[in-house]
Amino acid sequence: MFWLVDPDGGRFLSKGVNTVRFDQDHIGNNGRVPYAEACAAKYGGRHVWRAAAANRLAGWKFNTLGGWSDELVAEAGSSPLATAPIAALGASFRLHRRDQVFPDVFDQEFLAHIRESANDRCKGRRHEAGLLGTFIDNELYWSPDWRGADELLTLFLNLPSHRPGRVAAITRLQERYREFSEFNAVWRTNAASWEELGRIARIEAPFFRMPPGGLNDALETRANLANPVRAAFAADCDAFAAVVAELYFEQCVKAIRAADPNHLVIGSRFGYQPLPNVIAAAGRYLDVISFNCYELDVASVIDAYAATGKPCLISEFSFRGDDSGLPNSHGAGPRVANQVERAQCFERYVSIALRHPAVVGYHWFEHADQPAEGRFDGENSNFGTVTIGDDVYAELTEAMTRINGAAEQIHARAAADDS
């Protein structure tokens, strides 16, 4: 049974809400922020809003500000809240390079970049008592998921020819195949040699795989047993993803710990369950495995991450009600009929999670609803604990207050039941 430990040495479960901020969600890419407009009219300014938001969260028995929050809220109320910032080490390097879907961990500048970024974002906070820990990144693309069917291997193979990641990908394929002809019997490219492969503008995957996890794993195993060539392709992809994950987690965790040796490294907020060897690599370096899970039942997903033997934190989850007046046409997770069902979903989900010995926290996405017109990425959903006018969703927050208040007891009782 895992627990976090607070600054006084007591047991702690992180019960958080993401995006607690006055200026949440511009409409599209324009300058309007409907939630801020409503709160400015209601409170007069940020300072008063911060105190109100902090006290309201504490009243609902939350104790943590999740990702993307205004951290001044943490000390604005009568009870301090823990903070859990996202360092965005890999994401910022990917944006710096501009031609990458996943940060090129083989690039020598990657290590320099994450060290500098970790120093900038973590070193000054190393003595903060209220810092729960640091997330490395959020929802990097590790394998096929809702964003696409690419493998990490194909993404790296299709980097510009001069990028270290492309060279590394081809080198590892060379290590797996004695002759180019053996490789090409699996990959079926237009190249006639390794040298020519390095010059091809785009290398297409010979097969497409389903996202990892659940029934998909059984279907993939069956397909590979029926086709040894497909199995060889899958093994190539799995082996390369393992190498990338090992480098990513080793280097990022080392960079954060060098800047801040006093706090936990609480994961990279997996957006979708990745390959088992990626999870295993994460477990070798992280203090806590964090993942986002927008499912009705989180039990099997927790099991997949808990296999590492490390504690687990659910860094995002949510449910959307169709009685909210919002479109709910863009955004993750289940839609339910109304706020009563939404509250019931929260209660069921968190109660299941707390009964798992590996779980040390859960962070709800998010504080306020999204604008009906859509935020920067089009999301327009009822994710909030409050409306865009800052009115509280009573059914949901009553369920949150009840379950949050009992969370430690539920978790401890689960440990006793297992003994």
Side-chain angles (χ1 to χ4, degrees):
M1 177 64 66
F2 283 109
W3 298 84
L4 297 169
V5 179
D6 68 22
D8 297 320
R11 288 178 171 181
F12 187 84
L13 294 174
S14 180
K15 299 169 281 188
V17 176
N18 291 314
T19 324
V20 183
R21 54 187 314 114
F22 188 85
D23 57 349
Q24 181 184 326
D25 289 342
H26 290 68
I27 293 175
N29 291 314
N30 72 26
R32 280 201 59 212
V33 186
Y35 182 68
E37 294 169 6
C39 289
K42 183 175 181 178
Y43 299 104
R46 291 176 189 253
H47 179 71
V48 177
W49 170 83
R50 285 183 180 122
N55 287 327
R56 196 161 56 187
L57 288 169
W60 298 334
K61 307 300 182 184
F62 285 107
N63 58 23
T64 305
L65 292 179
W68 308 287
S69 294
D70 171 5
E71 294 189 6
L72 292 178
V73 172
E75 299 294 335
S78 56
S79 300
L81 300 166
T83 57
I86 303 170
L89 300 188
S92 59
F93 184 74
R94 178 178 61 81
L95 292 174
H96 168 68
R97 280 291 191 232
R98 295 182 181 275
D99 57 6
Q100 302 171 4
V101 174
F102 190 96
D104 186 353
V105 296
F106 302 98
D107 190 328
Q108 288 188 347
E109 290 191 25
F110 175 73
L111 185 55
H113 173 90
I114 62 173
R115 284 174 174 169
E116 182 178 356
S117 296
N119 274 331
D120 290 344
R121 299 169 189 184
C122 305
K123 191 169 186 178
R125 311 189 64 167
R126 62 192 183 278
H127 298 304
E128 284 188 21
L131 181 66
L132 176 73
T134 301
F135 293 114
I136 305 170
D137 275 301
N138 180 65
E139 294 192 343
L140 293 182
Y141 183 94
W142 288 99
S143 56
D145 61 22
W146 75 93
R147 292 167 288 191
D150 281 306
E151 304 280 349
L152 275 188
L153 178 51
T154 54
L155 290 174
F156 275 77
L157 286 171
N158 287 312
L159 287 171
S161 59
H162 64 284
R163 287 283 184 238
R166 177 161 179 160
V167 174
I170 293 174
T171 298
R172 276 156 180 79
L173 287 170
Q174 286 178 292
E175 292 169 353
R176 292 178 64 80
Y177 293 94
R178 289 176 299 176
E179 302 291 341
F180 184 80
S181 59
E182 294 179 358
F183 160 78
N184 227 17
V186 174
W187 282 76
R188 304 191 293 250
T189 73
N190 294 324
S193 66
W194 294 113
E195 293 74 17
E196 191 175 339
L197 185 72
R199 296 192 295 269
I200 290 178
R202 178 160 183 81
I203 300 169
E204 298 290 347
F207 302 95
F208 291 100
R209 299 198 294 176
M210 291 177 285
L215 178 61
N216 288 359
D217 289 347
L219 295 173
E220 285 292 327
T221 298
R222 184 183 303 172
N224 290 337
L225 288 172
N227 186 344
V229 174
R230 191 183 192 280
F233 164 77
D236 292 342
C237 294
D238 290 357
F240 186 76
V243 171
V244 171
E246 194 79 19
L247 284 170
Y248 170 84
F249 285 108
E250 178 184 21
Q251 293 176 358
C252 288
V253 171
K254 187 178 295 184
I256 291 174
R257 286 192 176 138
D260 177 5
N262 301 324
H263 293 99
L264 301 173
V265 184
I266 53 178
S268 195
R269 301 170 64 98
F270 288 118
Y272 193 97
Q273 185 179 324
L275 296 164
N277 51 19
V278 172
I279 297 174
R284 284 191 283 274
Y285 298 99
L286 295 170
D287 298 307
V288 177
I289 308 287
S290 56
F291 60 93
N292 304 340
C293 180
Y294 289 83
E295 304 288 342
L296 284 169
D297 187 342
V298 70
S300 63
V301 180
I302 297 171
D303 287 340
Y305 292 106
T308 61
K310 291 293 181 72
C312 298
L313 188 149
I314 303 166
S315 38
E316 279 184 38
F317 72 108
S318 201
F319 307 99
R320 302 172 285 163
D322 282 339
D323 63 344
S324 62
L326 289 169
N328 283 336
S329 57
H330 296 282
R335 293 169 58 174
V336 296
N338 53 51
Q339 299 304 310
V340 171
E341 288 188 28
R342 198 168 171 235
Q344 291 169 344
C345 285
F346 174 90
E347 184 166 354
R348 182 168 55 250
Y349 185 105
V350 174
S351 296
I352 289 170
L354 287 169
R355 291 187 179 97
H356 199 294
V359 170
V360 292
Y362 49 91
H363 294 180
W364 171 266
F365 185 85
E366 59 187 325
H367 177 248
D369 277 342
Q370 297 170 331
E373 301 89 341
R375 63 173 194 175
F376 69 94
D377 59 357
E379 287 193 6
N380 54 11
S381 286
N382 167 223
F383 288 128
T385 60
V386 298
T387 70
I388 209 155
D390 200 55
D391 296 319
V392 171
Y393 284 109
E395 296 92 345
L396 176 65
T397 54
E398 287 167 7
M400 288 173 163
T401 304
R402 183 171 60 256
I403 296 302
N404 288 346
E408 288 79 9
Q409 184 179 1
I410 295 169
H411 197 52
R413 189 166 61 240
D417 291 344
D418 288 341
S419 62

